[in-house]
Amino acid sequence: MYAAFEAAHLTPLWTQIGGLMPTSPRPDAVPALWRWSTLLPLAERAGELVPVGRGGERRAIALANPGLPGTPYATPTLWAAIQYLGPREEAPAHRHTQTAFRFVVDGEGVWTNVEGDPVAMRRGDLLLTPGMHFHEHHNTTDHPMAWLDGLDIPLVRRLDAGFFEFGPDELATRETPESSRNERLWGHPGLTPVGAPATPASPLKAYRWEHTDAALRAQLELEREGYPGVVGPGHAVVRFTNPATAGDCLSTMRCEMHRLRPGARTATTRTAGSAVWQVFEGTGSVSVGDETYDVAAGDVFAVPSWAPLTIRTDAGLDAFRFSDEPVFEALGLARTSREDAPA
């Protein structure tokens, strides 16, 4: 019978059910840490040896999870990479189905043109490139710049939904305005421009650090004054949202910034779905599953699905997080377990 099954390309459920329907997620991805002190020198070396242009398109170095051998994926659904642009360099225009963002740990002087709209990239900023938007980068300074790229490449690849198109070889614009057109229209808190055209993705492409920092600072100030607002003792969080819909800023990825005051400890959480974090400022200790890492500014770590996560800090810590939670929520697969930190 089993020989007949194999010949007919059939597999019986009763021999596979443990792997197909586990009692809880059993991810292939493992907890993983990439240190900024390793990433940046390697990106600089690539800047010396690898040109930016047609073919390679971007000098982006993917963070490959050791539990996913043979793939350039940080988790089964998330791509994380360090992109490096040298002095006066230009990365030509292209567009693709995959949704992308840039998060800047340090530096400034690069503009990303999204559909011809020049968007400045500066320290602490989150910059969006929704799917099928032409985008290009140009460095206006004599100094290199590196940043974190996040994309849903693994998800789109698994769904066989990817499309890619080259854009013009010449930049759409070399303008370097302080504020992009999308910020001038959509970057006013709580105010929706009535005459703006509807867009399938977030119309705001830049979330500036000064606003993120002020929002996190206010949460902790209110906590000290005895008012609600934080997710846990000493733990402030903001989520980057689409100003037109109040939903996630990207359709397939959730983006958040977390701040822990000195001496704080997060609740221990498990989430169905994976996440990637990058420390922005400060130092701390991160426990992911059975692994514990001491982390500092720029360090990146991956959290597999349903792995318990706890973060502690003595000196204070800011960290950027992105995850695949919007996909899990849309499919009815979202689940979170939380064990609050002791008082």
Side-chain angles (χ1 to χ4, degrees), residues 170-186:
E170 291 295 317
L171 291 179
T173 176
R174 286 184 168 77
E175 295 179 25
T176 56
E178 180 71 16
S179 294
S180 57
R181 296 191 298 273
N182 67 82
E183 292 174 83
R184 292 163 60 194
L185 191 60
W186 284 96

Side-chain angles (χ1 to χ4, degrees), residues 222-308:
L222 288 167
E223 180 193 27
R224 287 193 295 270
E225 296 167 13
Y227 297 101
V230 295
V231 299
H235 183 191
V237 185
V238 292
R239 182 170 298 162
F240 299 95
T241 58
N242 180 333
T245 65
D248 283 287
C249 64
L250 296 168
S251 59
T252 56
M253 292 183 287
R254 175 160 294 165
C255 298
E256 297 175 339
M257 182 65 77
H258 292 242
R259 173 169 292 172
L260 275 68
R261 62 168 165 73
R265 171 192 184 276
T266 69
T268 299
T269 57
R270 295 176 183 259
T271 302
S274 56
V276 175
W277 295 66
Q278 184 172 37
V279 178
F280 179 61
E281 284 186 335
T283 58
S285 173
V286 176
S287 296
V288 187
D290 296 329
E291 302 291 336
T292 298
Y293 311 115
D294 290 329
V295 296
D299 292 350
V300 182
F301 60 92
V303 181
S305 182
W306 212 241

Side-chain angles (χ1 to χ4, degrees), residues 42 50-51 54 76 79 156 160 164 170 180 194 227 275:
L42 288 173
V50 180
R54 290 303 186 205
W79 162 287
V156 174
D160 287 328
F164 181 97
E170 291 295 317
S180 57
V194 176
Y227 297 101

Side-chain angles (χ1 to χ4, degrees), residues 50-86:
V50 180
V52 173
R54 290 303 186 205
E57 290 295 296
R58 302 291 189 259
R59 191 186 292 110
I61 307 163
L63 282 53
N65 191 293
L68 305 171
T71 70
Y73 305 154
T75 80
T77 55
L78 302 173
W79 162 287
I82 301 303
Q83 186 169 166
Y84 185 90
L85 199 63

Side-chain angles (χ1 to χ4, degrees), residues 25 271-273 305-306 325 327-336:
T271 302
S305 182
W306 212 241
E325 287 171 273
V327 176
F328 278 65
E329 291 175 357
L331 296 175
L333 299 174
R335 181 180 292 200
T336 298

Side-chain angles (χ1 to χ4, degrees), residues 4-331:
F5 284 168
E6 184 176 358
H9 305 293
L10 300 172
T11 302
L13 174 63
W14 58 84
T15 65
Q16 305 289 321
I17 191 168
L20 293 175
M21 298 180 179
T23 55
S24 61
R26 298 178 185 173
D28 292 324
V30 297
L33 173 71
W34 297 268
R35 296 199 180 280
W36 191 247
S37 59
T38 300
L39 293 171
L40 186 57
L42 288 173
E44 291 171 342
R45 182 64 171 151
E48 297 170 359
L49 298 174
V50 180
V52 173
R54 290 303 186 205
E57 290 295 296
R58 302 291 189 259
R59 191 186 292 110
I61 307 163
L63 282 53
N65 191 293
L68 305 171
T71 70
Y73 305 154
T75 80
T77 55
L78 302 173
W79 162 287
I82 301 303
Q83 186 169 166
Y84 185 90
L85 199 63
R88 305 293 170 180
E89 279 191 325
E90 298 176 355
H94 64 214
R95 67 177 181 176
H96 39 69
T97 310
Q98 294 83 356
T99 293
F101 70 77
R102 335 277 162 206
F103 178 70
V104 184
V105 171
D106 196 19
E108 61 180 45
V110 170
W111 266 257
T112 178
N113 300 329
V114 182
E115 291 289 330
D117 190 0
V119 183
M121 298 176 62
R122 309 185 188 99
R123 180 180 180 274
D125 292 348
L126 173 67
L127 302 315
L128 304 187
T129 308
M132 297 311 290
H133 282 54
F134 278 114
H135 55 284
E136 57 200 7
H137 315 310
H138 62 119
N139 189 343
T140 66
T141 75
D142 295 323
H143 307 285
M145 185 169 161
W147 61 85
L148 178 72
D149 277 348
L151 292 90
D152 55 4
I153 289 174
L155 175 68
V156 174
R157 175 65 186 88
R158 179 63 65 180
L159 295 174
D160 287 328
F163 294 87
F164 181 97
E165 297 176 17
F166 293 111
D169 291 336
E170 291 295 317
L171 291 179
T173 176
R174 286 184 168 77
E175 295 179 25
T176 56
E178 180 71 16
S179 294
S180 57
R181 296 191 298 273
N182 67 82
E183 292 174 83
R184 292 163 60 194
L185 191 60
W186 284 96
H188 307 285
L191 302 173
T192 300
V194 176
T199 60
S202 175
L204 183 63
K205 304 303 186 292
Y207 297 75
R208 299 300 180 190
W209 170 243
E210 57 263 33
H211 304 304
T212 306
D213 179 41
L216 293 168
R217 187 170 60 248
Q219 286 187 28
L220 294 178
E221 289 171 350
L222 288 167
E223 180 193 27
R224 287 193 295 270
E225 296 167 13
Y227 297 101
V230 295
V231 299
H235 183 191
V237 185
V238 292
R239 182 170 298 162
F240 299 95
T241 58
N242 180 333
T245 65
D248 283 287
C249 64
L250 296 168
S251 59
T252 56
M253 292 183 287
R254 175 160 294 165
C255 298
E256 297 175 339
M257 182 65 77
H258 292 242
R259 173 169 292 172
L260 275 68
R261 62 168 165 73
R265 171 192 184 276
T266 69
T268 299
T269 57
R270 295 176 183 259
T271 302
S274 56
V276 175
W277 295 66
Q278 184 172 37
V279 178
F280 179 61
E281 284 186 335
T283 58
S285 173
V286 176
S287 296
V288 187
D290 296 329
E291 302 291 336
T292 298
Y293 311 115
D294 290 329
V295 296
D299 292 350
V300 182
F301 60 92
V303 181
S305 182
W306 212 241
L309 169 68
T310 311
I311 304 175
R312 303 171 180 83
T313 179
D314 292 330
L317 180 143
D318 287 359
F320 173 77
R321 173 185 184 267
F322 72 102
S323 73
D324 51 19
E325 287 171 273
V327 176
F328 278 65
E329 291 175 357
L331 296 175

